Amino acid sequence: MSRAVTVDQAVTEAAEVLAGAGTVTLLAHLDPDADALGSALALGIALHRRGAVVQVSFARPDAAPESLAPLDVEGLLVPAPLVNPAPEVLVSCDAAEPGRLGSLARLLDTAGRTVMLDHHATNPGFGDVQVLDPQVEATVVLAHRVLVAMGAPIDPDVARCLYAGLVTDTRGFRTAGPAAHRLAAELVEAGADPEPLTRALMDSHPFAWFEGLGGALERAVLEPSGLLYTTIPLADVRRYRPEEIDSVVEVLRTAAEAEVVASVMQVEENRWRVSLRSTGRVDVAAIATALGGGGHAMAAGFTREGTEEEVLAAIRTALAA
Ligand code: 5GP
Ligand code: MN
């Protein structure tokens, strides 16, 4: 979109496009989290209940994380190969750039209209209608605004999807501002039950994971620069669920001495997905962007080819810059 529009105008426009759509495909980013999938499913459930033909998908992995699958109460999730190749309306949720949609980014060129909902400051802007607001804590905040603009009811199923994204992207409301707390209250009133939701999403791992976590913590290294990192070998990445693997960085960030923490996960023999977190002073979005990724100042990520040492060297170089 070349015109300069406010977020409010974009929300109104997105609501108009979605309210008039007969078929809608909603996409979450690669390795979807609760914010991406919660946004897509909240909108998807509401549109499906209004009579639209709805698909929700993501390019990788093959199935939704076990902790998020129960949000799909209408059975809207479809495997990436079965996604409509040219949907009437395409919605991108929580993807900071087209590349974060993986192979499904091709739909941006084939869809009739595209709506992008996101809150990453590093998002360059893409899609016909761009609901992009780096001020909000989670993309579900924007999904909620679009639902309200559509006049769609926030029923318990929709509320759970929105709450899931809000509670996780704010790390249990630690980084939530007043408006996000008010939205949380509204969602709880609408039927989202915080305890079972947060337990499944943030506080529950199989006992067998303790061994994997123990190994990850034993391998952790604290460097004089304030970089604290650990590596997770391919065998562990394959053995445990994404819920377990992705939780390592949250444990690392509790080290009081650390400025920047990195969980360096081996996703192929020579390919590494890296989660970065800042404890305050360092903007990790800048580091991630320099290394081909992106994200937020306090939480960012990238994926990179090379040996473990090469990836670590790249992080050290970017951190020093
Ligand atoms: P996580 O470490 O939880 O996977 O990601 C942290 C944040 O960085 C999330 O907001 C996520 O969307 C973003 N992020 C992770 N990897 C990438 C990437 O490769 N590119 C971009 N643009 N953002 C990323
Ligand atoms: Mn998000």
Side-chain angles (χ1 to χ4, degrees):
M1 194 165 45
S2 46
R3 293 168 295 131
V5 295
T6 65
V7 177
D8 281 348
Q9 285 170 324
V11 165
T12 305
E13 210 176 324
E16 281 165 8
V17 169
L18 290 175
T23 64
V24 183
T25 297
L26 302 112
L27 301 181
H29 59 66
L30 293 168
D31 306 311
D33 61 11
D35 191 28
L37 220 44
S39 299
L41 285 169
L43 290 165
I45 290 168
L47 291 165
H48 189 240
R49 289 184 176 159
R50 291 166 67 103
V53 175
V54 173
Q55 294 184 321
V56 175
S57 196
F58 46 85
R60 188 185 74 202
D62 292 341
E66 223 177 338
S67 58
L68 299 177
L71 297 175
D72 180 24
V73 291
E74 304 263 312
L76 304 176
L77 281 168
V78 298
L82 301 185
V83 168
N84 179 350
E88 185 186 338
V89 175
L90 182 75
V91 185
S92 170
C93 298
D94 198 41
E97 52 181 316
R100 290 283 285 159
L101 298 173
S103 59
L104 293 176
R106 67 175 188 273
L107 299 183
L108 290 168
D109 299 322
T110 58
R113 296 293 296 279
T114 59
V115 177
M116 181 267 283
L117 269 66
D118 188 40
H119 68 129
H120 291 93
T122 56
N123 191 315
F126 62 95
D128 301 319
V129 182
Q130 304 185 2
V131 185
L132 174 60
D133 187 355
Q135 305 298 323
V136 298
E137 296 89 338
T139 297
V140 289
V141 173
L142 301 172
H144 176 258
R145 283 197 209 158
V146 171
L147 287 167
V148 170
M150 282 171 58
I154 309 298
D155 63 34
D157 297 323
V158 172
R160 269 191 284 276
C161 292
L162 297 173
Y163 190 91
L166 194 59
V167 71
T168 52
D169 262 32
T170 59
R171 296 193 300 114
F173 299 106
R174 288 173 182 81
T175 61
H181 281 280
R182 279 192 288 269
L183 174 57
E186 219 179 289
L187 298 175
V188 173
E189 272 167 353
D193 191 353
E195 204 286 324
L197 271 171
T198 49
R199 182 158 179 82
L201 292 168
M202 307 170 86
D203 296 333
S204 165
H205 299 288
F207 175 66
W209 165 239
F210 285 14
E211 190 188 333
L213 178 61
L217 296 179
E218 231 162 43
R219 286 189 300 277
V221 176
L222 175 64
E223 301 193 339
S225 65
L227 171 67
L228 175 82
Y229 70 87
T230 194
T231 51
I232 305 181
L234 191 55
D236 279 9
V237 170
R238 289 185 174 153
R239 178 168 164 206
Y240 299 107
R241 304 181 309 166
E243 283 89 338
E244 279 69 60
I245 297 300
D246 289 349
S247 70
V248 170
V249 74
E250 299 303 328
V251 183
L252 297 183
R253 72 196 308 287
T254 62
E257 297 87 346
E259 292 274 1
V260 169
V261 303
S263 176
V264 182
M265 301 160 274
Q266 189 176 26
V267 290
E268 283 168 35
E269 193 51 46
N270 240 28
R271 196 174 165 80
W272 305 79
R273 182 164 76 84
V274 178
S275 279
L276 297 171
R277 299 291 183 268
S278 167
T279 54
R281 282 199 324 124
V282 179
D283 177 356
V284 288
I287 298 177
T289 304
L291 299 176
H296 308 287
M298 300 283 283
F302 65 91
T303 297
R304 208 175 163 88
E305 314 272 334
T307 64
E308 177 183 327
E309 258 323 308
E310 283 166 350
V311 172
L312 289 170
I315 296 172
R316 290 186 195 105
T317 304
L319 178 56

